[in-house]
C-alpha cells in the first residue's frame, strides 16, 4: 500500500507539470516522512552519492565535445565527407543523413544533439533537393536514434553506473546493434527513394573532389575512431577519453579548421552545463527512489512474480521489450534507465540474460521513445528546426523506426549480436 502511494504521488506530481527530478524527489520525501521519518537526515547524502561518480564526469564532457564539433566546423566536414562518398548513390542526401548520424553518434553520444546538429544543415538541403518535408524530418530523427546506441553513449554511462557493468563492454555491446540499424535504414532509404523518385539526379563520382573531402574530413573522422579504440582496448577510461575528445575538438576547431571562437566555446559550456545539470539532478533524486524500492524489496517481489510465470527466456525478453517501448514513450531516456534497471535487471539475470545484452536492449528500446509522441525529445528538437507538427514528423519517421524495432527484436532473441564483440575484446558479460 505504501509503495502504491509513492507511485501515485509520482504520477500526480508529473501530471501537474513538476520537473521530473523534483517530482521524484517530492514523492520520495513525502513517502519517507510518513513511513520512515528517521531516514530523512540521510536524504542529502543519498542525493549527493547518486551523482558523485567518476563515470558522471564523462557525460558532460561528451556533451561538450559534441557542442564544440558543431561550432568548430567538425560537423560540417563530416557531412561534406559523406556527401562526396554517397553522391552517386540513389537516395543521395537521405543516405548522407544516416551515415553522418552514425559518425556523429561516435562522438557526441547523444541522439538529441545529433538531431539538432545534423538536422539544421541537412533538413533544408534535403527539401531543396525535392525530398518531402515529412520525409526529410523523419529520416533525420529516425537516424539520430543511433547517436545513443553507437559508442560512446551517454545513456550507456548512466546504465553502467546503476548496473555496475563495464563502460567499455557496454559501449561495445551497443556497437553492432547501432551499425545494424544504420545499415537497415540505408537499404530502406534506397528502396523508398527509388520507388518515389526522391533525389533522382545522381552526380557522377569525382575523384579529385572526393579526395579533397577526405583530406579535409580526416581530422573530424579521427575523433570517433580514437574514442572507440581507447575505451575498447583499455588505453583510457570513458571519462579520460571524453576529456581528450574535448581537447581534440578545441585544437581542431582553433588551429585546423579555424572556425572556433572563444565566444562559441563559452556558449558551448553554458549549453553543456544546463543539459548535464538537469540530468545530474534526475540521477541524484532517482537514487532516493531506488533506495526506497530496495527497502521495500520491490526488485525481489517483481522478480519472484516473473519467475512464477514459468515463461521461456525468449518470451520474457519480448515482454520486457514491450514494457521498455511503452515506458520510453512517456519517460525520457535517463530517468527510464534509472527507474527500470534496479527492478528489471535482476529478473533478466535470473533468466540467464547478461547485463550487456539487457543494457543494449534497454538503450535500443528507449531510443525509439525519442521519436514517438508525446515526449519524443528528438521530435521536439526537429520541430524547433522546421516548425513542423510533431505528429507529421513522426509519420515521416515511422517507416525507418521499424528498422529500430526489428533490430531490437533481433538482439533480444539472439544474444551474440550484443555479446560477441565484447567477448572478442576480453570483456566479461556481467
Amino acid at each position: 500500500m505504501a509503495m502504491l502511494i509513492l507511485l501515485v504521488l509520482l504520477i500526480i506530481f508529473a501530471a501537474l507539470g513538476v520537473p521530473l527530478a523534483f517530482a521524484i524527489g517530492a514523492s520520495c520525501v513525502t513517502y519517507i516522512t510518513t513511513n520512515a521519518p528517521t531516514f530523512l537526515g540521510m536524504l542529502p547524502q543519498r542525493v549527493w552519492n547518486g551523482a558523485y561518480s567518476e563515470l558522471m564526469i564523462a557525460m558532460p564532457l561528451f556533451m561538450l565535445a559534441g557542442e564544440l564539433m558543431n561550432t568548430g566546423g567538425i560537423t560540417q566536414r563530416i557531412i561534406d565527407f559523406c556527401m562526396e562518398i554517397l553522391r552517386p548513390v540513389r537516395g543521395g542526401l537521405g543516405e548522407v543523413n544516416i551515415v553522418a548520424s552514425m559518425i556523429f553518434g561516435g562522438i557526441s553520444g547523444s541522439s538529441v544533439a545529433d538531431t539538432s546538429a545534423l538536422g539544421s544543415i541537412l533538413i533544408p538541403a534535403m527539401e531543396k533537393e525535392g525530398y518531402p518535408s515529412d520525409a526529410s524530418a523523419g529520416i533525420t530523427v529516425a537516424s539520430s536514434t543511433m547517436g545513443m546506441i553507437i559508442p560512446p553513449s551517454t545513456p550507456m554511462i548512466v546504465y553502467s553506473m546503476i548496473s555496475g557493468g563495464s563502460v567499455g563492454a557496454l559501449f561495445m555491446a551497443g556497437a553492432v546493434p547501432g551499425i545494424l540499424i544504420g545499415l537497415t535504414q540505408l537499404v530502406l532509404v534506397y528502396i523508398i527513394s527509388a520507388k518515389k523518385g526522391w533525389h533522382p539526379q545522381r552526380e557522377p563520382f569525382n575523384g579529385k573532389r572526393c579526395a579533397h573531402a577526405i583530406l579535409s574530413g580526416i581530422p573530424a573522422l579521427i575523433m570517433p575512431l580514437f574514442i572507440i579504440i581507447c575505451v575498447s582496448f583499455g588505453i583510457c577510461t570513458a571519462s579520460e577519453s571524453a576529456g581528450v575528445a574535448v581537447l581534440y575538438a578545441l585544437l581542431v576547431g582553433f588551429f585546423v579548421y579555424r572556425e572556433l571562437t572563444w565566444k562559441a566555446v563559452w556558449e558551448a559550456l553554458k549549453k553543456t552545463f544546463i543539459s548535464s545539470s538537469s540530468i545530474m539532478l534526475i540521477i541524484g533524486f532517482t537514487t532516493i527512489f531506488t533506495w526506497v524500492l530496495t527497502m521495500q524489496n520491490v526488485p525481489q517481489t517483481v522478480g519472484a512474480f516473473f519467475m512464477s510465470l514459468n515463461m521461456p527466456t525468449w518470451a520474457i525478453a519480448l515482454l520486457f521489450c514491450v514494457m521498455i517501448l511503452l515506458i520510453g514513450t512517456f519517460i525520457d531516456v535517463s530517468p527510464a534507465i534509472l527507474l527500470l534497471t534496479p527492478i528489471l535487471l535482476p529478473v533478466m539475470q535470473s533468466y540467464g540474460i547478461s547485463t550487456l545484452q539487457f543494457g543494449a536492449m534497454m538503450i535500443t528500446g528507449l531510443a525509439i521513445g525519442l521519436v514517438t509522441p508525446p515526449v519524443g525529445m528528438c521530435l521536439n528538437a526537429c520541430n524547433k528546426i522546421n516548425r513542423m507538427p510533431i505528429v507529421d514528423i513522426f509519420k515521416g519517421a515511422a517507416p525507418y523506426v521499424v528498422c529500430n524495432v526489428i533490430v531490437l527484436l533481433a538482439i533480444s532473441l539472439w544474444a551474440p549480436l550484443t555479446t560477441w564483440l565484447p567477448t572478442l575484446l576480453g570483456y566479461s558479460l556481467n
Side-chain angles (χ1 to χ4, degrees):
M1 183 63 183
M3 285 305 303
L4 180 61
I5 294 173
L6 173 64
L7 295 174
V8 169
L9 285 172
L10 176 58
I11 293 170
I12 290 173
F13 284 129
L16 290 174
V18 178
L20 187 58
F22 300 110
I24 295 171
S27 58
C28 289
V29 168
T30 304
Y31 171 82
I32 292 175
T33 301
T34 55
N35 291 275
T38 55
F39 291 124
L40 280 173
M42 298 177 62
L43 296 186
Q45 180 188 15
R46 288 283 175 174
V47 173
W48 173 260
N49 289 340
Y52 186 72
S53 169
E54 182 184 346
L55 285 175
M56 288 297 100
I57 299 173
M59 182 175 60
L61 289 176
F62 279 128
M63 291 181 179
L64 179 57
E67 293 290 342
L68 293 173
M69 284 173 54
N70 298 337
T71 55
I74 296 177
T75 301
Q76 184 62 58
R77 266 53 174 210
I78 291 173
I79 293 174
D80 291 344
F81 168 79
C82 294
M83 289 183 71
E84 291 302 326
I85 297 297
L86 297 169
R87 191 182 293 271
V89 179
R90 165 73 69 177
L93 286 175
E95 308 282 8
V96 168
N97 203 327
I98 294 169
V99 175
S101 291
M102 294 175 75
I103 298 173
F104 191 89
I107 303 172
S108 69
S110 168
S111 295
V112 178
D114 189 327
T115 301
S116 300
L118 300 181
S120 59
I121 300 172
L122 288 173
I123 290 177
M126 291 175 71
E127 292 176 351
K128 185 178 179 181
E129 291 292 339
Y131 283 84
S133 297
D134 60 341
S136 304
I139 293 172
T140 300
V141 297
S143 63
S144 69
T145 56
M146 291 181 286
M148 60 178 272
I149 302 172
I150 292 177
S153 165
T154 300
M156 281 293 191
I157 294 172
V158 177
Y159 176 79
S160 172
M161 187 187 73
I162 302 298
S163 67
S166 164
V167 176
L170 287 166
F171 279 180
M172 291 303 98
V176 172
I179 293 171
L180 286 176
I181 290 171
L183 293 176
T184 52
Q185 288 184 353
L186 284 171
V187 172
L188 186 58
V189 167
Y190 184 92
I191 294 171
I192 294 178
S193 296
K195 183 178 179 180
K196 298 191 175 183
W198 296 341
H199 207 118
Q201 296 183 355
R202 292 174 284 173
E203 298 185 29
F205 182 79
N206 186 307
K208 183 177 180 181
R209 190 172 58 197
C210 183
H212 179 269
I214 292 174
L215 290 174
S216 177
I218 284 176
L221 297 172
I222 287 175
M223 194 171 175
L225 290 174
F226 172 82
I227 294 171
I228 293 171
I229 291 172
C230 284
V231 176
S232 302
F233 291 96
I235 299 173
C236 58
T237 65
S239 301
E240 291 166 348
S241 68
V244 174
V246 171
L247 178 62
Y248 185 83
L250 287 169
L251 293 175
V252 171
F254 275 122
F255 302 112
V256 179
Y257 298 143
R258 299 181 180 180
E259 296 183 14
L260 193 61
T261 63
W262 286 112
K263 182 180 179 180
V265 172
W266 175 243
E267 290 298 321
L269 285 168
K270 287 197 295 185
K271 288 181 181 179
T272 302
F273 177 79
I274 293 170
S275 300
S276 59
S277 59
S278 63
I279 295 175
M280 291 288 191
L281 275 174
I282 293 172
I283 291 172
F285 284 117
T286 306
T287 303
I288 305 176
F289 190 81
T290 55
W291 178 45
V292 172
L293 294 180
T294 303
M295 285 195 300
Q296 295 296 319
N297 295 318
V298 172
Q300 292 83 347
T301 303
V302 172
F305 168 74
F306 281 107
M307 291 297 291
S308 67
L309 297 178
N310 292 320
M311 297 174 67
T313 301
W314 65 266
I316 284 290
L318 292 180
L319 176 62
F320 279 20
C321 281
V322 173
M323 291 174 59
I324 291 168
L325 288 173
L326 290 174
I327 291 171
T329 302
F330 298 99
I331 302 178
D332 197 15
V333 176
S334 294
I337 293 171
L338 293 162
L339 293 172
L340 293 177
T341 303
I343 298 174
L344 300 186
L345 179 58
V347 179
M348 299 299 270
Q349 289 176 327
S350 66
Y351 274 89
I353 294 175
S354 67
T355 303
L356 300 186
Q357 184 183 358
F358 180 60
M361 289 169 55
M362 177 172 285
I363 303 303
T364 304
L366 293 177
I368 297 172
L370 292 175
V371 293
T372 54
V375 177
M377 298 301 291
C378 287
L379 296 177
N380 286 287
C382 186
N383 169 261
K384 293 178 182 178
I385 296 171
N386 63 0
R387 301 300 176 186
M388 181 181 291
I390 287 176
V391 174
D392 292 341
I393 300 173
F394 173 68
K395 288 179 181 177
Y400 309 99
V401 175
V402 172
C403 299
N404 295 55
V405 175
I406 291 171
V407 172
L408 173 60
L409 294 175
I411 64 176
S412 301
L413 299 176
W414 198 40
L417 288 174
T418 58
T419 58
W420 169 75
L421 189 56
T423 304
L424 183 68
L425 296 173
Y427 287 108
S428 170
L429 297 184
N430 289 298

